[in-house]
Amino acid sequence: MSRSTSKSGMYFRMLVRAAMLRKGQAASALGAVIVAAAAATALLNLYVDVQTKLSKEFRKFGANIVVQAKDAEGFSPPTLEHISAQVGTGGIAVPFSYAVARTDKDQSIVVAGVDFNSVRQLNPWWSVSAWPKGPGEALVGARAAKIINQSGQPVTLSIQGHKLSLSPAGTVQTGAGEDSRVYISQSDFHNWTGMNPSVVEVAVSGPPSEISAAIENLRRALPGADVRAVRQVTEGEANVLGRTRSTMLWSSAFIVGIAALCVLATLMGWVFDRRRDFAIMKALGASDRLITLFVSGEAAILGMVGSLLGFVAGIGLADWIGHANFQSSVAVRFSILPAIIMGCLAVTLVATLLPLRLLRGIQPAMILRGE
């Protein structure tokens, strides 16, 4: 066995022995590190994950981008495919066709042609009694139902002499303009009027920066269309995400700062309580460098073990918060583990600087005499 190996073995045995002789103090210091690591892990996981969860929640409120044709011809099928390709798999694009029809009582009413399956995905917040399932069926707005037929019987609508008989399948109520419209399938609308969709409502998932990027991409791809954001949704999302991230960031900094101070106070007390041990070591010939390595080694081990245990505890805490607030689990972000380890090591090592500085100046004879 080499001399360096023997010294390393002795060094680690001394570290283990010191921790065993002062189990209470070691457990207290380790607990402080675990609390700091757990708080940092939980809040950082939430900080990263909450943006995704809030973006998904906002998608339930419908489209955040509207693409409108500038000419009367509307969007052709190839153009609609091009829009869907620009949106990609991270969003959904739903075309709408609009026309003003006349009832059998010569009352005007807005009729919209849609794909009902796509509309259900785009607007899950709509209050719908029953969705149409076949051709000739219509989804009637709550206010429109009072105009066309209050008994729910088939109704005939006409546009420029072209008539269409519809059977109301259900009603929709949103408290907005949808309540005054009649929705029919896109195929029924095109066969009846020959018109192409004039509006495409787009829902893009992601932070406001990604939504802005999607708007710019659509404007470049569709120079002949009017592309704009749905102001109420996008501004509301940006405000909520910004305030939530700010709250999470400051809460994280505050809690982690308090935990770090607890670690600092605990480790300082731990080192000062062992002044007599260090005085004996110096009396036996131990150098300041050896004492520094010894104390730093103890602090590093506490930081490493505490960070790993705290990371596991923090994952559980973040998951509990996710289920309590979002009814879903919080994704584990292993990418933050190196930061947690480095942060705990930094806190524990910094906590030893002041006591080590004072220990270098102690006189073994004075300490051993109790002075």
Side-chain angles (χ1 to χ4, degrees):
M1 182 181 296
S2 65
R3 186 176 180 182
S4 60
T5 304
S6 177
K7 287 184 177 180
S8 299
M10 177 64 71
Y11 175 74
F12 285 109
R13 283 197 296 272
M14 290 174 64
L15 292 179
V16 174
R17 183 65 176 169
M20 292 180 63
L21 290 176
R22 291 173 174 80
K23 296 178 181 179
Q25 291 175 325
S28 177
L30 180 62
V33 178
I34 291 174
V35 170
T41 299
L43 291 172
L44 287 175
N45 266 281
L46 289 169
Y47 180 78
V48 175
D49 199 72
V50 72
Q51 179 171 284
T52 302
K53 293 189 179 298
L54 287 177
S55 294
K56 290 181 179 178
E57 292 296 322
F58 269 97
R59 293 295 70 75
K60 296 179 181 179
F61 293 98
N64 47 23
I65 301 174
V66 174
V67 183
Q68 187 169 4
K70 293 183 178 180
D71 52 50
E73 295 181 359
F75 296 115
S76 63
T79 304
L80 294 176
E81 293 179 1
H82 187 50
I83 294 174
S84 297
Q86 290 294 320
V87 174
T89 58
I92 180 174
V94 181
F96 287 77
S97 303
Y98 292 101
V100 178
R102 309 294 296 185
T103 67
D104 51 4
K105 297 179 181 179
D106 199 32
Q107 295 172 299
S108 61
I109 193 166
V110 176
V111 180
V114 298
D115 179 80
F116 288 113
N117 291 328
S118 299
V119 169
R120 293 181 69 172
Q121 296 179 38
L122 179 69
N123 299 307
W125 59 277
W126 280 13
S127 177
V128 177
S129 61
W131 288 91
K133 297 181 180 179
E137 294 186 350
L139 180 65
V140 184
R143 288 193 296 268
K146 300 176 181 180
I147 297 175
I148 61 172
N149 195 333
Q150 297 188 21
S151 62
Q153 298 298 318
V155 62
T156 300
L157 301 178
S158 63
I159 294 179
Q160 297 179 351
H162 300 281
K163 295 185 177 181
L164 178 67
S165 180
L166 299 172
S167 298
T171 58
V172 56
Q173 186 171 8
T174 66
E178 292 83 4
D179 292 2
S180 300
R181 300 169 187 160
V182 175
Y183 291 88
I184 63 176
S185 69
Q186 196 69 254
S187 58
D188 284 346
F189 187 94
H190 185 74
N191 293 335
W192 179 32
T193 65
M195 299 169 59
N196 290 323
S198 57
V199 175
V200 178
E201 295 188 4
V202 180
V204 177
S205 299
S209 59
E210 292 186 13
I211 298 173
S212 298
I215 292 174
E216 292 302 319
N217 291 336
L218 288 169
R219 284 174 177 171
R220 287 193 297 266
L222 303 165
D226 179 22
V227 182
R228 64 182 186 277
V230 179
R231 184 175 179 181
Q232 295 88 338
V233 177
T234 53
E235 287 188 355
E237 181 175 359
N239 290 335
V240 171
L241 287 176
R243 291 176 182 177
T244 302
R245 285 197 300 267
S246 177
T247 301
M248 292 292 298
L249 180 60
W250 285 108
S251 298
S252 301
F254 178 76
I255 294 174
V256 173
I258 294 298
L261 289 176
C262 292
V263 174
L264 179 64
T266 303
L267 287 179
M268 286 184 64
W270 188 28
V271 173
F272 274 115
D273 288 344
R274 300 166 61 199
R275 286 177 297 171
R276 187 178 181 83
D277 296 342
F278 295 123
I280 294 174
M281 291 176 64
K282 294 187 72 172
L284 294 176
S287 64
D288 289 338
R289 179 175 177 273
L290 178 60
I291 293 176
T292 299
L293 288 174
F294 185 76
V295 175
S296 300
E298 290 180 333
I301 291 175
L302 282 174
M304 180 64 70
V305 175
S307 63
L308 294 176
L309 294 177
F311 181 77
V312 175
I315 289 174
L317 178 61
D319 189 67
W320 176 80
I321 295 174
H323 280 288
N325 292 275
F326 299 101
Q327 290 74 50
S328 64
S329 59
V330 174
V332 180
R333 309 286 177 175
F334 287 101
S335 59
I336 69 173
L337 179 57
I340 297 298
I341 294 175
M342 295 302 295
C344 289
L345 287 175
V347 168
T348 53
L349 291 175
V350 168
T352 63
L353 292 179
L354 179 58
L356 279 173
R357 184 178 179 181
L358 298 177
L359 285 174
R360 291 192 187 98
I362 66 173
Q363 299 296 323
M366 297 176 61
I367 298 296
L368 294 177
R369 287 199 306 266
E371 298 181 7

mmCIF file of all heavy atoms in Angstrom, residues 128-174:
data_model
loop_
_atom_site.group_PDB
_atom_site.id
_atom_site.type_symbol
_atom_site.label_atom_id
_atom_site.label_comp_id
_atom_site.label_asym_id
_atom_site.label_seq_id
_atom_site.Cartn_x
_atom_site.Cartn_y
_atom_site.Cartn_z
ATOM 1 N N VAL A 128 -71.882 22.988 -24.958
ATOM 2 C CA VAL A 128 -72.655 22.402 -26.053
ATOM 3 C C VAL A 128 -73.536 21.287 -25.507
ATOM 4 O O VAL A 128 -73.059 20.403 -24.784
ATOM 5 C CB VAL A 128 -71.719 21.843 -27.149
ATOM 6 C CG1 VAL A 128 -72.522 21.167 -28.246
ATOM 7 C CG2 VAL A 128 -70.858 22.966 -27.727
ATOM 8 N N SER A 129 -74.811 21.331 -25.856
ATOM 9 C CA SER A 129 -75.734 20.286 -25.388
ATOM 10 C C SER A 129 -75.534 18.978 -26.155
ATOM 11 O O SER A 129 -75.596 17.895 -25.583
ATOM 12 C CB SER A 129 -77.183 20.760 -25.521
ATOM 13 O OG SER A 129 -77.496 21.040 -26.891
ATOM 14 N N ALA A 130 -75.303 19.073 -27.468
ATOM 15 C CA ALA A 130 -75.062 17.881 -28.295
ATOM 16 C C ALA A 130 -74.404 18.320 -29.593
ATOM 17 O O ALA A 130 -74.808 19.331 -30.189
ATOM 18 C CB ALA A 130 -76.370 17.134 -28.583
ATOM 19 N N TRP A 131 -73.386 17.584 -30.031
ATOM 20 C CA TRP A 131 -72.669 17.924 -31.259
ATOM 21 C C TRP A 131 -73.296 17.217 -32.456
ATOM 22 O O TRP A 131 -73.724 16.067 -32.342
ATOM 23 C CB TRP A 131 -71.204 17.518 -31.149
ATOM 24 C CG TRP A 131 -70.398 18.375 -30.217
ATOM 25 C CD1 TRP A 131 -70.186 18.166 -28.888
ATOM 26 C CD2 TRP A 131 -69.713 19.584 -30.549
ATOM 27 N NE1 TRP A 131 -69.408 19.159 -28.354
ATOM 28 C CE2 TRP A 131 -69.089 20.053 -29.355
ATOM 29 C CE3 TRP A 131 -69.549 20.317 -31.720
ATOM 30 C CZ2 TRP A 131 -68.333 21.209 -29.309
ATOM 31 C CZ3 TRP A 131 -68.785 21.472 -31.673
ATOM 32 C CH2 TRP A 131 -68.190 21.916 -30.493
ATOM 33 N N PRO A 132 -73.362 17.892 -33.597
ATOM 34 C CA PRO A 132 -73.865 17.230 -34.815
ATOM 35 C C PRO A 132 -72.986 16.035 -35.183
ATOM 36 O O PRO A 132 -71.772 16.069 -35.021
ATOM 37 C CB PRO A 132 -73.774 18.335 -35.876
ATOM 38 C CG PRO A 132 -73.808 19.619 -35.103
ATOM 39 C CD PRO A 132 -73.079 19.323 -33.831
ATOM 40 N N LYS A 133 -73.606 14.994 -35.712
ATOM 41 C CA LYS A 133 -72.872 13.776 -36.063
ATOM 42 C C LYS A 133 -72.973 13.422 -37.541
ATOM 43 O O LYS A 133 -72.250 12.543 -38.010
ATOM 44 C CB LYS A 133 -73.389 12.610 -35.228
ATOM 45 C CG LYS A 133 -73.168 12.788 -33.732
ATOM 46 C CD LYS A 133 -73.684 11.589 -32.951
ATOM 47 C CE LYS A 133 -73.450 11.769 -31.453
ATOM 48 N NZ LYS A 133 -73.970 10.614 -30.668
ATOM 49 N N GLY A 134 -73.875 14.064 -38.277
ATOM 50 C CA GLY A 134 -74.055 13.697 -39.676
ATOM 51 C C GLY A 134 -74.394 14.896 -40.533
ATOM 52 O O GLY A 134 -74.586 16.021 -40.028
ATOM 53 N N PRO A 135 -74.488 14.701 -41.844
ATOM 54 C CA PRO A 135 -74.840 15.803 -42.750
ATOM 55 C C PRO A 135 -76.262 16.287 -42.491
ATOM 56 O O PRO A 135 -77.135 15.521 -42.074
ATOM 57 C CB PRO A 135 -74.700 15.175 -44.139
ATOM 58 C CG PRO A 135 -74.842 13.705 -43.911
ATOM 59 C CD PRO A 135 -74.273 13.430 -42.560
ATOM 60 N N GLY A 136 -76.465 17.569 -42.736
ATOM 61 C CA GLY A 136 -77.795 18.153 -42.540
ATOM 62 C C GLY A 136 -78.106 18.503 -41.103
ATOM 63 O O GLY A 136 -79.201 18.995 -40.823
ATOM 64 N N GLU A 137 -77.164 18.271 -40.193
ATOM 65 C CA GLU A 137 -77.380 18.620 -38.794
ATOM 66 C C GLU A 137 -76.634 19.909 -38.474
ATOM 67 O O GLU A 137 -75.595 20.205 -39.064
ATOM 68 C CB GLU A 137 -76.914 17.499 -37.864
ATOM 69 C CG GLU A 137 -77.742 16.232 -37.991
ATOM 70 C CD GLU A 137 -77.356 15.192 -36.957
ATOM 71 O OE1 GLU A 137 -76.323 15.385 -36.268
ATOM 72 O OE2 GLU A 137 -78.080 14.195 -36.820
ATOM 73 N N ALA A 138 -77.179 20.663 -37.519
ATOM 74 C CA ALA A 138 -76.609 21.968 -37.201
ATOM 75 C C ALA A 138 -76.451 22.122 -35.700
ATOM 76 O O ALA A 138 -77.184 21.525 -34.900
ATOM 77 C CB ALA A 138 -77.509 23.082 -37.744
ATOM 78 N N LEU A 139 -75.443 22.937 -35.331
ATOM 79 C CA LEU A 139 -75.249 23.356 -33.951
ATOM 80 C C LEU A 139 -75.705 24.806 -33.879
ATOM 81 O O LEU A 139 -75.132 25.678 -34.536
ATOM 82 C CB LEU A 139 -73.769 23.230 -33.558
ATOM 83 C CG LEU A 139 -73.405 23.640 -32.129
ATOM 84 C CD1 LEU A 139 -74.066 22.714 -31.115
ATOM 85 C CD2 LEU A 139 -71.887 23.621 -31.952
ATOM 86 N N VAL A 140 -76.732 25.073 -33.097
ATOM 87 C CA VAL A 140 -77.395 26.372 -33.102
ATOM 88 C C VAL A 140 -77.035 27.148 -31.842
ATOM 89 O O VAL A 140 -77.092 26.606 -30.727
ATOM 90 C CB VAL A 140 -78.925 26.202 -33.198
ATOM 91 C CG1 VAL A 140 -79.605 27.569 -33.295
ATOM 92 C CG2 VAL A 140 -79.292 25.336 -34.388
ATOM 93 N N GLY A 141 -76.643 28.397 -32.015
ATOM 94 C CA GLY A 141 -76.359 29.256 -30.870
ATOM 95 C C GLY A 141 -77.602 29.499 -30.037
ATOM 96 O O GLY A 141 -78.734 29.427 -30.533
ATOM 97 N N ALA A 142 -77.372 29.779 -28.733
ATOM 98 C CA ALA A 142 -78.505 29.937 -27.817
ATOM 99 C C ALA A 142 -79.436 31.059 -28.254
ATOM 100 O O ALA A 142 -80.663 30.923 -28.181
ATOM 101 C CB ALA A 142 -77.985 30.188 -26.405
ATOM 102 N N ARG A 143 -78.893 32.190 -28.720
ATOM 103 C CA ARG A 143 -79.742 33.294 -29.181
ATOM 104 C C ARG A 143 -80.306 33.012 -30.563
ATOM 105 O O ARG A 143 -81.453 33.384 -30.865
ATOM 106 C CB ARG A 143 -78.942 34.596 -29.180
ATOM 107 C CG ARG A 143 -78.644 35.146 -27.800
ATOM 108 C CD ARG A 143 -78.137 36.574 -27.849
ATOM 109 N NE ARG A 143 -76.861 36.673 -28.531
ATOM 110 C CZ ARG A 143 -75.673 36.609 -27.935
ATOM 111 N NH1 ARG A 143 -75.628 36.419 -26.617
ATOM 112 N NH2 ARG A 143 -74.558 36.721 -28.626
ATOM 113 N N ALA A 144 -79.523 32.351 -31.417
ATOM 114 C CA ALA A 144 -80.010 32.033 -32.763
ATOM 115 C C ALA A 144 -81.175 31.061 -32.718
ATOM 116 O O ALA A 144 -82.069 31.101 -33.574
ATOM 117 C CB ALA A 144 -78.879 31.447 -33.605
ATOM 118 N N ALA A 145 -81.200 30.188 -31.713
ATOM 119 C CA ALA A 145 -82.290 29.213 -31.604
ATOM 120 C C ALA A 145 -83.633 29.909 -31.405
ATOM 121 O O ALA A 145 -84.680 29.405 -31.850
ATOM 122 C CB ALA A 145 -82.023 28.257 -30.455
ATOM 123 N N LYS A 146 -83.622 31.061 -30.752
ATOM 124 C CA LYS A 146 -84.872 31.792 -30.549
ATOM 125 C C LYS A 146 -85.344 32.466 -31.827
ATOM 126 O O LYS A 146 -86.524 32.829 -31.937
ATOM 127 C CB LYS A 146 -84.676 32.847 -29.452
ATOM 128 C CG LYS A 146 -84.272 32.259 -28.107
ATOM 129 C CD LYS A 146 -84.002 33.351 -27.083
ATOM 130 C CE LYS A 146 -83.570 32.758 -25.743
ATOM 131 N NZ LYS A 146 -83.294 33.808 -24.739
ATOM 132 N N ILE A 147 -84.433 32.626 -32.786
ATOM 133 C CA ILE A 147 -84.804 33.295 -34.036
ATOM 134 C C ILE A 147 -85.312 32.302 -35.066
ATOM 135 O O ILE A 147 -86.364 32.500 -35.679
ATOM 136 C CB ILE A 147 -83.593 34.068 -34.609
ATOM 137 C CG1 ILE A 147 -83.171 35.173 -33.629
ATOM 138 C CG2 ILE A 147 -83.920 34.654 -35.972
ATOM 139 C CD1 ILE A 147 -81.916 35.899 -34.055
ATOM 140 N N ILE A 148 -84.579 31.206 -35.250
ATOM 141 C CA ILE A 148 -84.922 30.308 -36.352
ATOM 142 C C ILE A 148 -86.068 29.370 -36.015
ATOM 143 O O ILE A 148 -86.950 29.118 -36.826
ATOM 144 C CB ILE A 148 -83.696 29.502 -36.814
ATOM 145 C CG1 ILE A 148 -83.157 28.633 -35.669
ATOM 146 C CG2 ILE A 148 -82.608 30.416 -37.328
ATOM 147 C CD1 ILE A 148 -82.062 27.683 -36.115
ATOM 148 N N ASN A 149 -86.064 28.804 -34.802
ATOM 149 C CA ASN A 149 -87.113 27.843 -34.482
ATOM 150 C C ASN A 149 -87.008 27.485 -33.006
ATOM 151 O O ASN A 149 -86.067 26.834 -32.590
ATOM 152 C CB ASN A 149 -86.977 26.584 -35.337
ATOM 153 C CG ASN A 149 -88.245 25.738 -35.307
ATOM 154 O OD1 ASN A 149 -88.995 25.771 -34.341
ATOM 155 N ND2 ASN A 149 -88.474 24.997 -36.375
ATOM 156 N N GLN A 150 -87.955 27.888 -32.225
ATOM 157 C CA GLN A 150 -87.900 27.612 -30.790
ATOM 158 C C GLN A 150 -88.347 26.202 -30.446
ATOM 159 O O GLN A 150 -88.115 25.731 -29.346
ATOM 160 C CB GLN A 150 -88.776 28.630 -30.032
ATOM 161 C CG GLN A 150 -88.295 30.068 -30.173
ATOM 162 C CD GLN A 150 -89.041 31.013 -29.266
ATOM 163 O OE1 GLN A 150 -89.643 30.615 -28.274
ATOM 164 N NE2 GLN A 150 -89.007 32.303 -29.601
ATOM 165 N N SER A 151 -88.967 25.490 -31.365
ATOM 166 C CA SER A 151 -89.463 24.139 -31.073
ATOM 167 C C SER A 151 -88.440 23.062 -31.384
ATOM 168 O O SER A 151 -88.658 21.893 -31.065
ATOM 169 C CB SER A 151 -90.745 23.869 -31.885
ATOM 170 O OG SER A 151 -90.459 23.932 -33.286
ATOM 171 N N GLY A 152 -87.319 23.424 -32.002
ATOM 172 C CA GLY A 152 -86.298 22.431 -32.304
ATOM 173 C C GLY A 152 -86.587 21.611 -33.540
ATOM 174 O O GLY A 152 -85.901 20.614 -33.807
ATOM 175 N N GLN A 153 -87.582 21.986 -34.340
ATOM 176 C CA GLN A 153 -87.919 21.266 -35.556
ATOM 177 C C GLN A 153 -86.993 21.702 -36.699
ATOM 178 O O GLN A 153 -86.322 22.719 -36.609
ATOM 179 C CB GLN A 153 -89.384 21.547 -35.939
ATOM 180 C CG GLN A 153 -90.382 21.069 -34.894
ATOM 181 C CD GLN A 153 -90.323 19.571 -34.684
ATOM 182 O OE1 GLN A 153 -90.221 18.805 -35.648
ATOM 183 N NE2 GLN A 153 -90.362 19.134 -33.417
ATOM 184 N N PRO A 154 -86.921 20.897 -37.797
ATOM 185 C CA PRO A 154 -86.076 21.270 -38.943
ATOM 186 C C PRO A 154 -86.414 22.667 -39.447
ATOM 187 O O PRO A 154 -87.565 23.110 -39.406
ATOM 188 C CB PRO A 154 -86.407 20.197 -39.980
ATOM 189 C CG PRO A 154 -86.815 19.012 -39.166
ATOM 190 C CD PRO A 154 -87.558 19.580 -37.989
ATOM 191 N N VAL A 155 -85.370 23.358 -39.933
ATOM 192 C CA VAL A 155 -85.521 24.720 -40.399
ATOM 193 C C VAL A 155 -84.881 24.838 -41.773
ATOM 194 O O VAL A 155 -83.930 24.118 -42.095
ATOM 195 C CB VAL A 155 -84.871 25.717 -39.412
ATOM 196 C CG1 VAL A 155 -83.375 25.463 -39.305
ATOM 197 C CG2 VAL A 155 -85.166 27.153 -39.804
ATOM 198 N N THR A 156 -85.413 25.738 -42.580
ATOM 199 C CA THR A 156 -84.875 25.958 -43.923
ATOM 200 C C THR A 156 -84.257 27.346 -43.998
ATOM 201 O O THR A 156 -84.896 28.342 -43.646
ATOM 202 C CB THR A 156 -85.981 25.826 -44.983
ATOM 203 O OG1 THR A 156 -86.540 24.514 -44.922
ATOM 204 C CG2 THR A 156 -85.410 26.070 -46.371
ATOM 205 N N LEU A 157 -83.012 27.388 -44.465
ATOM 206 C CA LEU A 157 -82.301 28.643 -44.654
ATOM 207 C C LEU A 157 -81.986 28.801 -46.135
ATOM 208 O O LEU A 157 -81.843 27.807 -46.863
ATOM 209 C CB LEU A 157 -81.002 28.672 -43.837
ATOM 210 C CG LEU A 157 -81.134 28.501 -42.313
ATOM 211 C CD1 LEU A 157 -79.752 28.499 -41.668
ATOM 212 C CD2 LEU A 157 -82.003 29.598 -41.712
ATOM 213 N N SER A 158 -81.832 30.048 -46.557
ATOM 214 C CA SER A 158 -81.559 30.284 -47.983
ATOM 215 C C SER A 158 -80.517 31.388 -48.156
ATOM 216 O O SER A 158 -80.453 32.320 -47.371
ATOM 217 C CB SER A 158 -82.852 30.678 -48.717
ATOM 218 O OG SER A 158 -83.368 31.899 -48.205
ATOM 219 N N ILE A 159 -79.697 31.224 -49.186
ATOM 220 C CA ILE A 159 -78.710 32.220 -49.585
ATOM 221 C C ILE A 159 -78.822 32.405 -51.092
ATOM 222 O O ILE A 159 -78.590 31.455 -51.861
ATOM 223 C CB ILE A 159 -77.278 31.796 -49.209
ATOM 224 C CG1 ILE A 159 -77.109 31.733 -47.687
ATOM 225 C CG2 ILE A 159 -76.246 32.777 -49.794
ATOM 226 C CD1 ILE A 159 -75.732 31.302 -47.242
ATOM 227 N N GLN A 160 -79.227 33.590 -51.522
ATOM 228 C CA GLN A 160 -79.380 33.902 -52.943
ATOM 229 C C GLN A 160 -80.208 32.830 -53.668
ATOM 230 O O GLN A 160 -79.855 32.367 -54.746
ATOM 231 C CB GLN A 160 -78.001 34.039 -53.599
ATOM 232 C CG GLN A 160 -77.175 35.187 -53.043
ATOM 233 C CD GLN A 160 -75.809 35.279 -53.685
ATOM 234 O OE1 GLN A 160 -75.397 34.393 -54.443
ATOM 235 N NE2 GLN A 160 -75.099 36.363 -53.397
ATOM 236 N N GLY A 161 -81.301 32.453 -53.061
ATOM 237 C CA GLY A 161 -82.217 31.488 -53.660
ATOM 238 C C GLY A 161 -81.854 30.037 -53.441
ATOM 239 O O GLY A 161 -82.651 29.146 -53.749
ATOM 240 N N HIS A 162 -80.682 29.742 -52.936
ATOM 241 C CA HIS A 162 -80.267 28.365 -52.640
ATOM 242 C C HIS A 162 -80.700 28.016 -51.219
ATOM 243 O O HIS A 162 -80.294 28.668 -50.259
ATOM 244 C CB HIS A 162 -78.763 28.207 -52.791
ATOM 245 C CG HIS A 162 -78.267 28.524 -54.172
ATOM 246 N ND1 HIS A 162 -78.377 27.650 -55.230
ATOM 247 C CD2 HIS A 162 -77.657 29.639 -54.656
ATOM 248 C CE1 HIS A 162 -77.857 28.192 -56.314
ATOM 249 N NE2 HIS A 162 -77.414 29.409 -56.004
ATOM 250 N N LYS A 163 -81.530 26.987 -51.115
ATOM 251 C CA LYS A 163 -82.086 26.618 -49.817
ATOM 252 C C LYS A 163 -81.379 25.393 -49.233
ATOM 253 O O LYS A 163 -80.866 24.546 -49.957
ATOM 254 C CB LYS A 163 -83.583 26.338 -49.936
ATOM 255 C CG LYS A 163 -84.401 27.576 -50.331
ATOM 256 C CD LYS A 163 -85.896 27.272 -50.325
ATOM 257 C CE LYS A 163 -86.695 28.535 -50.660
ATOM 258 N NZ LYS A 163 -88.158 28.272 -50.639
ATOM 259 N N LEU A 164 -81.379 25.345 -47.916
ATOM 260 C CA LEU A 164 -80.786 24.215 -47.202
ATOM 261 C C LEU A 164 -81.648 23.905 -45.998
ATOM 262 O O LEU A 164 -81.961 24.781 -45.184
ATOM 263 C CB LEU A 164 -79.351 24.545 -46.750
ATOM 264 C CG LEU A 164 -78.630 23.457 -45.933
ATOM 265 C CD1 LEU A 164 -78.367 22.225 -46.795
ATOM 266 C CD2 LEU A 164 -77.333 23.995 -45.353
ATOM 267 N N SER A 165 -82.050 22.634 -45.875
ATOM 268 C CA SER A 165 -82.855 22.194 -44.744
ATOM 269 C C SER A 165 -81.929 21.611 -43.673
ATOM 270 O O SER A 165 -81.096 20.741 -43.961
ATOM 271 C CB SER A 165 -83.877 21.141 -45.186
ATOM 272 O OG SER A 165 -84.652 20.706 -44.079
ATOM 273 N N LEU A 166 -82.109 22.096 -42.469
ATOM 274 C CA LEU A 166 -81.240 21.687 -41.370
ATOM 275 C C LEU A 166 -82.042 21.165 -40.192
ATOM 276 O O LEU A 166 -83.149 21.631 -39.916
ATOM 277 C CB LEU A 166 -80.393 22.880 -40.891
ATOM 278 C CG LEU A 166 -79.430 23.511 -41.917
ATOM 279 C CD1 LEU A 166 -78.839 24.788 -41.342
ATOM 280 C CD2 LEU A 166 -78.329 22.526 -42.278
ATOM 281 N N SER A 167 -81.443 20.201 -39.494
ATOM 282 C CA SER A 167 -82.042 19.671 -38.269
ATOM 283 C C SER A 167 -81.153 20.059 -37.093
ATOM 284 O O SER A 167 -79.988 19.617 -37.045
ATOM 285 C CB SER A 167 -82.163 18.143 -38.335
ATOM 286 O OG SER A 167 -83.013 17.752 -39.395
ATOM 287 N N PRO A 168 -81.615 20.878 -36.155
ATOM 288 C CA PRO A 168 -80.787 21.246 -35.001
ATOM 289 C C PRO A 168 -80.440 20.012 -34.167
ATOM 290 O O PRO A 168 -81.317 19.283 -33.707
ATOM 291 C CB PRO A 168 -81.679 22.209 -34.220
ATOM 292 C CG PRO A 168 -82.657 22.741 -35.227
ATOM 293 C CD PRO A 168 -82.902 21.592 -36.159
ATOM 294 N N ALA A 169 -79.126 19.778 -33.994
ATOM 295 C CA ALA A 169 -78.680 18.637 -33.186
ATOM 296 C C ALA A 169 -78.442 19.045 -31.742
ATOM 297 O O ALA A 169 -78.563 18.230 -30.829
ATOM 298 C CB ALA A 169 -77.395 18.046 -33.772
ATOM 299 N N GLY A 170 -78.098 20.292 -31.523
ATOM 300 C CA GLY A 170 -77.828 20.774 -30.177
ATOM 301 C C GLY A 170 -77.623 22.273 -30.199
ATOM 302 O O GLY A 170 -77.660 22.918 -31.248
ATOM 303 N N THR A 171 -77.417 22.837 -29.019
ATOM 304 C CA THR A 171 -77.199 24.276 -28.901
ATOM 305 C C THR A 171 -75.832 24.536 -28.287
ATOM 306 O O THR A 171 -75.283 23.704 -27.559
ATOM 307 C CB THR A 171 -78.274 24.931 -28.029
ATOM 308 O OG1 THR A 171 -78.269 24.327 -26.723
ATOM 309 C CG2 THR A 171 -79.652 24.775 -28.663
ATOM 310 N N VAL A 172 -75.305 25.718 -28.594
ATOM 311 C CA VAL A 172 -74.030 26.149 -28.036
ATOM 312 C C VAL A 172 -74.238 27.475 -27.326
ATOM 313 O O VAL A 172 -74.966 28.345 -27.824
ATOM 314 C CB VAL A 172 -72.947 26.279 -29.128
ATOM 315 C CG1 VAL A 172 -73.375 27.220 -30.238
ATOM 316 C CG2 VAL A 172 -71.625 26.749 -28.518
ATOM 317 N N GLN A 173 -73.609 27.616 -26.160
ATOM 318 C CA GLN A 173 -73.718 28.858 -25.401
ATOM 319 C C GLN A 173 -72.323 29.230 -24.892
ATOM 320 O O GLN A 173 -71.687 28.459 -24.170
ATOM 321 C CB GLN A 173 -74.686 28.710 -24.234
ATOM 322 C CG GLN A 173 -74.943 30.013 -23.490
ATOM 323 C CD GLN A 173 -76.076 29.890 -22.479
ATOM 324 O OE1 GLN A 173 -76.580 28.801 -22.229
ATOM 325 N NE2 GLN A 173 -76.482 31.011 -21.909
ATOM 326 N N THR A 174 -71.837 30.400 -25.280
ATOM 327 C CA THR A 174 -70.527 30.879 -24.854
ATOM 328 C C THR A 174 -70.580 32.252 -24.214
ATOM 329 O O THR A 174 -69.603 32.688 -23.610
ATOM 330 C CB THR A 174 -69.567 30.946 -26.064
ATOM 331 O OG1 THR A 174 -70.025 31.954 -26.975
ATOM 332 C CG2 THR A 174 -69.501 29.604 -26.773
#
